[in-house]
Amino acid sequence: MDSCVIPLRHGGLSLVQTTDFFYPLVDDPYMMGRIACANVLSDLYAMGITECDNMLMLLSVSQKMNEDEREKIMPLMIKGFRDAAEEGGTSVTGGQTVVNPWIIIGGVATVVCQPNEFIMPDSAVPGDVLVLTKPLGTQVAVNAHQWLDNPERWNKIRLVVTREDVELAYQEAMFSMAMLNRTAAGLMHTYNAHAATDVTGFGILGHAQNLAKQQRSQVSFVIHNLPIIAKMAAISKASGRFGLLQGTSAETSGGLLICLPREHAARFCAELRSPKYGEGHQAWIIGIVEKGNQTARIIDRPGIIEVAPRGTTVPLHPNNSTSSFESSS
Amino acid sequence: MDSCVIPLRHGGLSLVQTTDFFYPLVDDPYMMGRIACANVLSDLYAMGITECDNMLMLLSVSQKMNEDEREKIMPLMIKGFRDAAEEGGTSVTGGQTVVNPWIIIGGVATVVCQPNEFIMPDSAVPGDVLVLTKPLGTQVAVNAHQWLDNPERWNKIRLVVTREDVELAYQEAMFSMAMLNRTAAGLMHTYNAHAATDVTGFGILGHAQNLAKQQRSQVSFVIHNLPIIAKMAAISKASGRFGLLQGTSAETSGGLLICLPREHAARFCAELRSPKYGEGHQAWIIGIVEKGNQTARIIDRPGIIEVAPRGTTVPLHPNNSTSSFESSS
């Protein structure tokens, strides 16, 4: 499970908590703080929990930073973390900071819940539909962005993508990772979600497999569609790394993968995308739950949904090869 | 405060939690795990809390360790941490592990309490007595032990201490740091403690000052006696580092510094040391609470209580100079 659930000594309450920490992966310290916080909270959201009673922040300052860098960077990271916590309706009231060779940022999210506040991720049944609430490809976008300054790496992908494509994808990845899955967690209750997890280091397939294993019914998950930040599928193929189309590319602070009753899935997606929850929420039906033996797979030749970065207004078409012509001209 | 206290939405309950992580300071991975766990729990114990509902473990494996080292060292550290958690009546049901240049070990301790389960550290009054439940000098002992292999450093202290003294002090420090302050936390209720903190990175004086600032009455803390692992005061003086006698030497997983009503302090110490709680608990009256302005100080020439390592049976006398003769012979 994404969070641990501990029965308490007091009146049927449970303690639910989770921790996560990692190293910066984007250049913008403020956004990095937001991403770290969104990533920690996401483990609660995956259980349909929308409230968080407290957060702790875990930080390490790099010993390689000078005084000036520390004073500029760390407060921005902390502010990003705190702002995202506030957006999640919670606050940060503790933590620990150490000095380390590398910067570390992470946190702990804790909530005390009544039984109806969380959804145990074990009730998927054949006939359910799989929904994903953020596009895939964050790690590809982050790495491709680093390759802009690495000619050897860039040469391997320059035929399939422009520098502008990469910049846009990187921005999109950053915003996507910084978004809270909180609205989706709330709608899991409205639409009677049967199970969910969040997509992070093991990729969409790895997390789908983990989730399938936990189901009480005999089920397997079959993924038909992969919503991917535009052009990242092409980069994954051209670079021969990542395994994005195989579902094994790591994500950071990815979307919720939710098993929903078939009759509710479309409305769940429509409501999540509706303007009443603000800009930028997305959701796609990506697969189905069949009778099976607790496994998950992606079909051969899954549909690739190219998700246009929100910085662009012109829709991107799958198999659009304009950019390859441009970069090879 | 040592832990954060968050009022919950449910029936007068509070969420109390704390986190701490750091780098190994002793050679023995199992003991290091125990120390890390004792150090995290100590923040709860300082509030008189004896139960812990859940622990998370925070770990980083060093990228400089080879596979073999990882497989030997990390399981021992984890076992030490888990064993100490079990001794504390709790268990570890979550956490996060990353790869990092340095090994990190730490954790999160969380409990949901009723109001009578914790003692807010703000009720000291003039006439109270200050009690300390572990000897000082852990950092001096750990460093002196490293200096056994560093001739330049060792030469500065060899006139005041033997290698055997250092080995014994190091063993004592390791056992002391690995001990839980849980029994002391329980006795805080029995003997009506008014406030407490645990002694860690800021040294005894730093933590006494922090605690004094939080008091609601106009008080100041005056420390008369410093219980110190035998010979560590001499090392601190001879090396010109640490500031152990000034109260500024850092401790790891130190004792509780407790403000107790004067009439209860001696019985508190006697009961904590009594065999019914097992071997090794210690406690000393080290000072008094006066009327004042929320400050703390150590008197000029405080009494040094040389605390004999439990490995020795012969009592050590202050100003005993046998060892200097030995090492200069």
Side-chain angles (χ1 to χ4, degrees):
Chain A
M1 289 205 298
D2 296 300
S3 307
C4 58
V5 179
I6 316 289
L8 291 175
R9 302 161 290 163
H10 309 282
L13 297 171
S14 295
L15 175 70
V16 183
Q17 66 180 177
T18 181
T19 183
D20 224 329
F21 58 100
F22 50 43
Y23 307 105
L25 70 168
V26 299
D27 299 334
D28 180 328
Y30 177 80
M31 289 303 285
M32 191 56 229
R34 287 197 82 109
I35 292 167
C37 183
N39 189 56
V40 174
L41 285 171
S42 188
D43 288 326
L44 296 186
Y45 297 146
M47 302 192 68
I49 293 170
T50 56
E51 301 305 317
C52 172
D53 287 316
N54 191 42
M55 293 196 81
L56 306 172
M57 203 186 304
L58 309 174
L59 268 184
S60 85
V61 176
S62 169
Q63 55 176 182
K64 289 165 194 160
M65 292 162 84
N66 62 38
E67 193 75 6
D68 197 43
E69 289 169 328
R70 282 187 196 186
E71 279 174 19
K72 274 190 188 140
I73 293 169
M74 301 313 286
L76 284 169
M77 242 161 66
I78 292 168
K79 181 161 181 5
F81 194 99
R82 285 189 182 278
D83 283 358
E86 192 180 316
E87 191 182 317
T90 184
S91 60
V92 181
T93 62
Q96 158 86 335
T97 304
V98 299
V99 174
N100 190 62
W102 298 344
I103 294 176
I104 291 174
I105 182 159
V108 181
T110 305
V111 63
V112 176
C113 288
Q114 288 174 319
N116 63 355
E117 290 181 79
F118 61 93
I119 296 168
M120 291 298 283
D122 62 0
S123 306
V125 292
D128 280 355
V129 157
L130 299 173
V131 165
L132 181 67
T133 69
K134 288 184 185 179
L136 304 170
T138 53
Q139 188 180 51
V140 180
V142 164
N143 283 347
H145 188 250
Q146 290 164 349
W147 297 348
L148 290 177
D149 302 323
N150 180 333
E152 192 189 340
R153 287 280 170 75
W154 178 251
N155 277 335
K156 292 210 172 141
I157 60 171
R158 60 185 282 277
L159 294 181
V160 299
V161 74
T162 66
R163 298 182 76 88
E164 196 197 351
D165 289 335
V166 169
E167 288 287 359
L168 284 170
Y170 173 72
Q171 293 297 326
E172 176 61 26
M174 197 155 61
F175 282 110
S176 177
M177 292 187 288
M179 277 197 71
L180 301 185
N181 285 318
R182 191 182 189 198
T183 305
L187 294 177
M188 282 172 62
H189 294 270
T190 314
Y191 292 102
N192 189 26
H194 289 159
T197 189
D198 66 327
V199 178
T200 55
F202 298 115
I204 180 77
L205 182 61
H207 290 281
Q209 285 168 335
N210 284 344
L211 189 61
K213 276 191 202 126
Q214 295 170 49
Q215 302 311 306
R216 288 176 296 157
S217 299
Q218 298 274 303
V219 293
S220 72
F221 296 168
V222 185
I223 296 170
H224 294 92
N225 298 314
L226 297 172
I228 295 177
I229 297 170
K231 304 291 168 93
M232 297 306 102
I235 292 180
S236 179
K237 268 194 237 172
S239 72
R241 298 164 173 255
F242 303 113
L244 186 54
L245 301 180
Q246 292 72 46
T248 56
S249 181
E251 305 291 339
T252 296
S253 190
L256 299 187
L257 174 66
I258 311 174
C259 302
L260 283 160
R262 184 197 303 255
E263 64 275 21
H264 294 166
R267 276 189 294 146
F268 174 95
C269 295
E271 184 164 350
L272 185 59
R273 286 162 168 264
S274 82
K276 73 174 166 182
Y277 297 117
E279 289 291 304
H281 288 290
Q282 297 180 291
W284 302 268
I285 294 174
I286 66 161
I288 57 168
V289 177
E290 296 181 341
K291 200 163 183 330
N293 53 353
Q294 324 310 105
T295 57
R297 65 184 174 90
I298 299 174
I299 61 165
D300 285 346
R301 306 206 190 194
I304 306 302
I305 303 167
E306 295 264 320
V307 179
R310 55 203 91 183
T312 60
T313 47
V314 184
L316 289 162
H317 302 284
N319 307 318
N320 178 335
S321 54
T322 317
S323 57
S324 344
F325 283 124
E326 276 174 6
S327 59
S328 58
S329 66
Chain B
M1 289 206 297
D2 296 301
S3 306
C4 58
V5 179
I6 315 290
L8 292 174
R9 302 161 289 163
H10 309 282
L13 297 170
S14 294
L15 176 70
V16 183
Q17 65 180 177
T18 181
T19 183
D20 224 329
F21 58 100
F22 50 43
Y23 307 105
L25 70 168
V26 298
D27 299 335
D28 180 329
Y30 176 80
M31 289 303 286
M32 190 57 229
R34 287 198 82 109
I35 292 167
C37 183
N39 189 57
V40 174
L41 285 171
S42 188
D43 289 325
L44 297 185
Y45 297 146
M47 302 192 67
I49 293 170
T50 56
E51 300 306 317
C52 172
D53 287 316
N54 191 40
M55 294 196 79
L56 306 173
M57 203 186 304
L58 309 174
L59 268 183
S60 86
V61 176
S62 169
Q63 56 175 180
K64 290 164 195 162
M65 293 161 83
N66 62 39
E67 193 75 7
D68 197 42
E69 290 169 327
R70 283 187 196 187
E71 279 175 18
K72 274 190 188 142
I73 293 169
M74 301 313 286
L76 284 170
M77 242 161 66
I78 292 168
K79 180 161 181 8
F81 194 99
R82 285 188 182 278
D83 283 357
E86 193 181 315
E87 192 183 316
T90 183
S91 60
V92 181
T93 62
Q96 158 85 336
T97 304
V98 300
V99 175
N100 190 61
W102 298 345
I103 294 176
I104 291 174
I105 181 157
V108 181
T110 304
V111 62
V112 175
C113 287
Q114 287 174 321
N116 63 356
E117 289 182 80
F118 61 94
I119 297 169
M120 291 298 283
D122 63 0
S123 305
V125 292
D128 279 355
V129 156
L130 300 172
V131 165
L132 182 68
T133 68
K134 288 183 185 178
L136 304 171
T138 53
Q139 191 180 48
V140 180
V142 165
N143 283 347
H145 189 250
Q146 290 164 351
W147 297 348
L148 290 176
D149 302 322
N150 180 333
E152 192 189 340
R153 288 278 170 76
W154 178 250
N155 276 336
K156 292 209 173 142
I157 60 171
R158 60 185 283 277
L159 293 182
V160 300
V161 75
T162 66
R163 297 181 77 88
E164 195 197 353
D165 289 335
V166 169
E167 289 286 1
L168 283 170
Y170 174 72
Q171 293 296 327
E172 176 62 25
M174 198 155 61
F175 282 110
S176 178
M177 292 186 287
M179 276 197 72
L180 301 186
N181 285 318
R182 192 183 188 197
T183 305
L187 294 176
M188 283 172 60
H189 294 271
T190 314
Y191 293 102
N192 190 26
H194 288 158
T197 188
D198 66 328
V199 179
T200 54
F202 298 115
I204 179 77
L205 182 61
H207 289 282
Q209 286 168 335
N210 284 344
L211 189 61
K213 278 193 201 123
Q214 295 171 49
Q215 302 312 306
R216 288 175 298 155
S217 300
Q218 299 273 304
V219 292
S220 72
F221 297 167
V222 185
I223 296 171
H224 295 93
N225 298 315
L226 297 173
I228 294 177
I229 297 170
K231 304 290 169 94
M232 297 304 105
I235 292 180
S236 179
K237 268 193 236 170
S239 70
R241 298 163 173 256
F242 303 115
L244 186 54
L245 301 180
Q246 292 73 45
T248 56
S249 182
E251 305 292 340
T252 296
S253 190
L256 299 188
L257 173 66
I258 310 176
C259 303
L260 282 161
R262 183 197 304 253
E263 65 275 20
H264 294 166
R267 276 189 294 146
F268 174 96
C269 294
E271 184 163 351
L272 186 59
R273 285 163 169 265
S274 81
K276 73 173 165 183
Y277 297 117
E279 290 291 304
H281 287 290
Q282 297 180 290
W284 303 268
I285 293 175
I286 66 160
I288 58 168
V289 178
E290 296 181 342
K291 199 164 183 330
N293 54 353
Q294 324 309 106
T295 57
R297 66 186 174 90
I298 299 175
I299 61 165
D300 285 345
R301 306 204 190 195
I304 305 301
I305 302 167
E306 294 263 320
V307 179
R310 57 202 88 183
T312 61
T313 48
V314 183
L316 288 163
H317 302 283
N319 308 317
N320 179 332
S321 54
T322 319
S323 57
S324 344
F325 284 123
E326 277 175 7
S327 59
S328 58
S329 65

